[in-house]
Amino acid sequence: MSASSDTHAQTTVTLPANLHARPAGRIAQAAARFTSTIRIEHAGRAINPTGVLSVMSLGATAGSTVTISAEGPDADTAVSSLADILATAE
Amino acid sequence: MNGPVGIVLVSHSAGLAAGLRELLAQIGSAAVPVVAAGGSADGGIGTSYDLVAEAIDKADQGAGVAVLPDLGSSVLTTRTVLEDHPRADVAIIDAPFVEGAVAAAVTAAAGGDLHAVISAAEEARDVRKF
């Protein structure tokens, strides 16, 4: 058994809507609740989603794919929570 | 227990400050006390010492207040208020008005303390819009 509780988790989401200010605000607030280090990648750029301005700067539009990854004790929950927000954004 | 960090928006224009406040509410600051202090005392373009001082009192829920000025005399008026009423938990922030306010509001809504809110707003200077 591993001595470390840290895990790595990753998933991809095809955006149903543009990643504009409102969902970016929800993403940043949700990301701040986790201790894991989280990244969102889009079109070759990766950002830390705790920064709402960074999330908006991705310029991710409806139909494009983003990859969410996390490393840390709550990586699984972090990735699934952020994926839920992105997958249901309007 | 303290509430969220408060945010005061100081602008030459009442409409600009009020509009930014509306935008912040959409981005998730509904639980954050955001108070607009825009325009002069008679409703024109300018800044008001009294409006800024009142706004700081209103925004204060015990966790401190971050004051964002738009430019110029907004900075000077805010500084004068803070010099007359010095408090360790009220800070004027040097950041882009819109981006800094958005970053500050989201950080305050996520439970960040005054230091975290100030850092988030100041970082807005280094984040490109696109």
Side-chain angles (χ1 to χ4, degrees), chain A:
Chain A
M1 279 181 65
S2 168
S4 166
S5 62
D6 282 12
T7 55
H8 178 84
Q10 181 170 318
T11 192
T12 60
V13 176
T14 301
L15 298 177
N18 294 344
L19 185 39
H20 54 77
R22 206 173 293 129
R26 290 179 60 205
I27 286 285
Q29 288 183 48
R33 289 199 295 268
F34 299 103
T35 54
S36 294
T37 302
I38 314 172
R39 276 158 45 109
I40 297 182
E41 281 181 68
H42 171 263
R45 281 188 61 216
I47 56 95
N48 177 344
T50 56
V52 62
L53 301 172
S54 299
V55 176
M56 283 190 264
S57 76
L58 285 175
T61 50
S64 68
T65 300
V66 298
T67 302
I68 309 159
S69 56
E71 191 121 25
D74 50 10
D76 287 326
T77 330
V79 165
S80 62
S81 298
L82 297 198
D84 278 351
I85 293 172
L86 289 176
T88 58
E90 292 174 351

Side-chain angles (χ1 to χ4, degrees), chain B residues 41-63:
Chain B
D42 60 6
I45 293 291
T47 55
S48 157
Y49 179 101
D50 290 338
L51 278 182
V52 173
E54 283 165 21
I56 291 170
D57 283 344
K58 258 190 226 167
D60 183 13
Q61 292 191 358

Side-chain angles (χ1 to χ4, degrees), chain B residues 12-109:
Chain B
H12 287 69
S13 155
L16 180 54
L20 180 53
R21 182 175 183 277
E22 274 179 16
L23 174 63
L24 299 187
Q26 286 292 308
I27 295 177
S29 73
V32 178
V34 179
V35 183
S40 61
D42 60 6
I45 293 291
T47 55
S48 157
Y49 179 101
D50 290 338
L51 278 182
V52 173
E54 283 165 21
I56 291 170
D57 283 344
K58 258 190 226 167
D60 183 13
Q61 292 191 358
V65 177
V67 185
L68 284 117
D70 60 355
L71 68 166
S73 68
S74 293
V75 176
L76 302 178
T77 303
T78 301
R79 279 196 176 141
T80 308
V81 171
L82 297 186
E83 278 163 17
D84 291 350
H85 309 276
R87 283 176 53 177
D89 62 347
V90 178
I92 179 170
I93 303 182
D94 185 357
F97 195 49
V98 175
E99 286 87 341
V102 167
V106 169
T107 304

